[in-house]
Amino acid sequence: MSQGKLSAVLAVLLVLDVAASAQPRGLRRVRQVQRTSIVVTLGVANPQSHGRLREFWLNGPSGSAEFRVHLNPSLSLGGGGDMSLLYFNEAAFATRWPNVPIKTKENLFVGNVYIDAAYAPLPASIIRPFFKGQVGALFVTEAIYRQVIGNVRYTYYNVGGRTRLTLGVATGVTWAFDYNFGLIAEIKATYVHNDPAIGLLLFGRAGIQYKF
């Protein structure tokens, strides 16, 4: 084979090799942009208003789970749920109503299903702050204590048993210590619309994110 033909063959092989090696990188970039993730966090829920809830219920454990679709390195959409338990404060009830027997301890379960959008301004950093806006629906288990004494009805508390619209904002950081795994810490405020007993809930949680 002449030197000219050999050079031409080598040139073609070189072009094919470059094209073959470039294609997977391109595909990997597409997969990276369009990745999905699961986020699970645990922490505490703190009722901030109104007085009807804060008077007899304390902070309690809280958790969340969500599924996210990453539209690009900075923007993602997600859906998930918050689950919290607020503990009944027997001492506060006994102080407020000293002559009224305490019913079965009525802890409150709070569930919130939501969709959200998140923005991370520093997607290439190991420590990545993020901001979220959420809209959802919240349900609180019902807790009612009434008595009729001398034809007079006394209501000691009446909360929950309703589903309400919620609006939420959250901020936090993700520590991306691995390509697939990250640690998350966040604080979140959820406003409960048009509920006489529950106005604002605060959450502080930490957890893990897994991308796939």
Side-chain angles (χ1 to χ4, degrees):
M1 180 179 295
S2 66
Q3 184 176 359
K5 290 182 179 181
L6 181 60
S7 300
V9 171
L10 291 176
V12 171
L13 292 176
L14 179 61
V15 170
L16 292 176
D17 180 68
V18 171
S21 60
Q23 185 176 8
R25 287 198 297 270
L27 292 177
R28 282 196 295 270
R29 284 196 294 271
V30 172
R31 288 196 295 267
Q32 181 177 355
V33 169
Q34 296 179 342
R35 292 184 74 89
T36 55
S37 64
I38 295 175
V39 181
V40 177
T41 61
L42 295 173
V44 64
N46 183 349
Q48 288 296 306
S49 65
H50 305 291
R52 292 175 61 180
L53 182 67
R54 287 176 54 83
E55 186 176 13
F56 298 136
W57 280 272
L58 301 169
N59 301 349
S62 176
S64 72
E66 61 185 35
F67 176 81
R68 308 204 64 79
V69 177
H70 299 264
L71 304 180
N72 58 50
S74 294
L75 182 63
S76 65
L77 302 178
D82 295 321
M83 299 143 285
S84 305
L85 185 67
L86 303 180
Y87 292 119
F88 185 71
N89 190 342
E90 296 183 10
F93 183 86
T95 300
R96 178 67 176 83
W97 305 101
N99 298 319
V100 177
I102 296 177
K103 287 180 61 178
T104 302
K105 188 174 182 179
E106 295 192 84
N107 298 329
L108 292 179
F109 172 78
V110 182
N112 182 37
V113 179
Y114 59 82
I115 56 175
D116 71 11
Y119 175 69
L122 302 173
S125 174
I126 296 179
I127 303 298
R128 304 171 183 173
F130 62 83
F131 307 91
K132 293 181 181 179
Q134 300 179 345
V135 59
L138 177 140
F139 177 79
V140 181
T141 53
E142 189 174 59
I144 301 176
Y145 190 3
R146 294 191 180 103
Q147 283 185 328
V148 178
I149 303 175
N151 294 324
V152 178
R153 174 177 291 184
Y154 295 88
T155 299
Y156 305 113
Y157 54 76
N158 179 12
V159 300
R162 311 173 187 89
T163 299
R164 300 294 191 189
L165 172 70
T166 61
L167 300 174
V169 293
T171 185
V173 294
T174 300
W175 175 36
F177 64 90
D178 180 81
Y179 187 73
N180 295 100
F181 289 94
L183 297 180
I184 288 181
E186 71 171 6
I187 56 174
K188 176 181 174 180
T190 298
Y191 166 72
V192 184
H193 178 65
N194 197 31
D195 190 282
I198 306 171
L200 183 67
L201 297 171
L202 294 184
F203 304 90
R205 291 190 289 244
I208 191 167
Q209 179 187 61
Y210 173 67
K211 284 188 174 183
F212 59 96

